[in-house]
Amino acid sequence: EPEVTQTPSHQVTQMGQEVILRCVPISNHLYFYWYRQILGQKVEFLVSFYNNEISEKSEIFDDQFSVERPDGSNFTLKIRSTKLEDSAMYFCASSGRDSNTDTQYFGPGTRLTVL
Amino acid sequence: RKEVEQDPGPFNVPEGATVAFNCTYSNSASQSFFWYRQDCRKEPKLLMSVYSSGNEDGRFTAQLNRASQYISLLIRDSKLSDSATYLCVVLQPSSASKIIFGSGTRLSIRP
């Protein structure tokens, strides 16, 4: 069964450093997403991406964040200058052709720890 | 009122019991609803979509009540493996892609 993959599984970084989280969505999916989950809190939407551009973003997704699909398979989330409060689990997800109804499949997540 | 609200639990029930969760949503125009489950420190996984007519998948039944703006999940004959956090998920009506998660309801099944 196809699945979303994410690397690394755990990233530790110093405050102020840039990090890039990587995702490989399911191959025939067209919509890609990033979510985050701070420990003990709910899953929060960050951004959705379709047709090589951002289609929605939340208020969390400020200028420190960017997303990119650098090639036909990877989807990345960059945090330019990490803050302590960026420590969280970051989940990538993808869905098929109909974003209104298609299931979003989640990757296993990257645990980001900012020191 | 929160966009998507759930009782956090925990619900602690014996194996074989029937348990039900409700979830309320604030935007009456919401159209798509889902239940996901999340195991500790794992990714959310779709349990089932929730249709207007209600739907059943084995031991799981989901219902939608638009008038009262809530969805429900019923688990019959609960198994130890059902222990998880159950997340209510609603697609924003003004958006084709943004889904809102509830905080989740923790379920623990005891032998």
Side-chain angles (χ1 to χ4, degrees):
Chain A
E1 186 178 319
E3 57 183 21
V4 177
T5 59
Q6 290 186 243
T7 53
S9 57
H10 192 185
Q11 174 88 47
V12 181
T13 190
Q14 294 288 331
M15 192 169 59
Q17 294 296 305
E18 174 184 287
V19 295
I20 297 176
L21 311 183
R22 302 179 193 281
C23 168
V24 179
I26 294 172
S27 62
N28 62 348
H29 282 185
L30 302 179
Y31 291 87
F32 315 116
Y33 313 86
W34 283 101
Y35 294 84
R36 80 170 186 193
Q37 187 174 31
I38 295 170
L39 188 63
Q41 297 187 25
K42 66 177 184 176
V43 178
E44 298 174 292
F45 172 84
L46 291 177
V47 66
S48 60
F49 192 86
Y50 171 72
N51 200 25
N52 283 319
E53 60 183 25
I54 290 173
S55 52
E56 293 266 352
K57 61 181 181 178
S58 72
E59 57 276 6
I60 303 168
F61 194 87
D62 61 22
D63 292 343
Q64 293 298 313
F65 292 88
S66 62
V67 288
E68 198 178 28
R69 188 154 161 82
D71 52 44
S73 59
N74 289 286
F75 179 52
T76 63
L77 174 70
K78 183 193 290 186
I79 309 175
R80 197 178 352 265
S81 176
T82 50
K83 302 189 273 289
L84 295 176
E85 54 266 36
D86 293 327
S87 294
M89 197 75 165
Y90 288 81
F91 294 109
C92 173
S94 69
S95 64
R97 294 188 171 277
D98 187 342
S99 65
N100 282 315
T101 58
D102 280 1
T103 300
Q104 292 188 22
Y105 292 90
F106 284 73
T110 293
R111 180 168 301 283
L112 176 65
T113 302
V114 182
L115 303 175
Chain B
R1 185 178 176 182
K2 288 182 186 175
E3 291 175 290
V4 179
E5 198 153 4
Q6 296 182 251
D7 181 344
F11 285 62
N12 189 323
V13 303
E15 199 173 4
T18 295
V19 61
F21 314 130
N22 280 345
C23 162
T24 58
Y25 58 94
S26 60
N27 193 321
S28 59
S30 300
Q31 293 293 321
S32 297
F33 310 91
F34 310 88
W35 283 103
Y36 278 72
R37 73 170 272 168
Q38 186 175 30
D39 294 292
C40 188
R41 295 179 180 259
K42 299 285 191 182
E43 74 273 26
K45 291 188 176 177
L46 179 73
L47 184 63
M48 56 201 307
S49 303
V50 186
Y51 304 123
S52 296
S53 55
N55 47 305
E56 190 174 307
D57 183 1
R59 298 182 293 109
F60 299 85
T61 300
Q63 296 277 355
L64 169 63
N65 184 318
R66 288 193 184 278
S68 302
Q69 291 177 220
Y70 76 82
I71 66 173
S72 64
L73 177 68
L74 181 79
I75 306 174
R76 287 182 298 278
D77 187 24
S78 51
K79 313 285 185 200
L80 294 176
S81 57
D82 294 333
S83 297
T85 296
Y86 290 83
L87 308 176
C88 174
V89 175
V90 178
L91 181 67
Q92 285 279 71
S94 59
S95 159
S97 59
K98 181 179 175 182
I99 64 175
I100 303 296
F101 281 81
S103 300
T105 298
R106 280 202 298 132
L107 174 65
S108 178
I109 308 297
R110 62 179 187 269

